Amino acid sequence: DRCRDNLIALTKKHHIEPYVNFRFDGMSEPELVKTFQENDVFVQAVYAPPPSHQGWGLVNFEALAAGLALIVIRSSTATEVLKDGETALFFDPLHPEQIAEKIKFLVNHPEAYQRLARSGQTFVRENQSWKRYAEGMLKIFTESRR
């Protein structure tokens, strides 16, 4: 609750409430699709201190597939397959000012925004599918039986 209160207080302090919509309780799939359609950037900022790390985060790839630019915390396991500055922009844990810097960069460099959004969408199209996932899992299971 303290983190939630701090985030809300920061938006008020900087007078950005009209531009930020926190969804602490999640949203339905139709709401998620609508949200992707109405926005330009997706920020994934969930942080769990080491040794724990946040998991894959399918929503990151859903946002990329929808054509949004992705700004993702460096501790996310999604960064294992994404490339900083190419398919997404990474920021360091516990450095929210880096999120603001990344957003400002995308606003001030629309050509970089377009390139990043297209590259992320292409990455998902070429590398993420249920078929590829199933093939990868089958390979893991087959190799582990040897």
Side-chain angles (χ1 to χ4, degrees):
D1 288 332
R2 193 176 88 206
C3 183
R4 176 188 303 215
D5 294 343
N6 287 341
L7 286 170
I8 293 168
L10 277 172
T11 60
K12 289 179 181 177
K13 176 183 175 184
H14 295 287
H15 309 288
I16 58 172
E17 305 100 319
Y19 310 105
V20 177
N21 183 3
F22 295 113
R23 300 301 293 258
F24 296 110
D25 296 321
M27 61 179 66
S28 68
E29 189 169 339
E31 289 174 309
L32 181 62
V33 170
K34 183 178 182 209
T35 299
F36 286 154
Q37 292 169 342
E38 294 174 346
N39 289 281
D40 300 305
V41 177
F42 183 81
V43 177
Q44 190 266 332
V46 175
Y47 174 67
S52 174
H53 290 288
Q54 287 299 327
W56 187 251
L58 183 59
V59 71
N60 295 318
F61 299 99
E62 292 172 327
L64 289 172
L68 276 67
L70 174 65
I71 300 173
V72 62
I73 194 163
R74 201 173 296 278
S75 62
S76 169
T77 55
T79 61
E80 293 175 13
V81 296
L82 299 173
K83 292 185 179 148
D84 190 16
E86 187 176 317
T87 52
L89 297 177
F90 300 174
F91 67 95
D92 296 316
L94 305 177
H95 287 279
E97 74 282 358
Q98 292 179 11
I99 299 170
E101 291 166 7
K102 304 293 181 183
I103 292 172
K104 185 176 180 181
F105 171 79
L106 293 173
V107 168
N108 291 333
H109 298 90
E111 69 290 343
Y113 170 86
Q114 290 297 327
R115 186 180 69 252
L116 187 75
R118 277 194 308 272
S119 180
Q121 192 173 45
T122 299
F123 172 83
V124 171
R125 189 178 311 114
E126 293 176 356
N127 297 286
Q128 304 292 315
S129 71
W130 284 113
K131 182 178 184 215
R132 286 185 66 95
Y133 177 78
E135 289 168 349
M137 293 305 291
L138 181 61
K139 182 179 178 186
I140 290 169
F141 294 142
T142 302
E143 289 175 359
S144 69
R145 292 177 68 174
R146 293 182 185 163

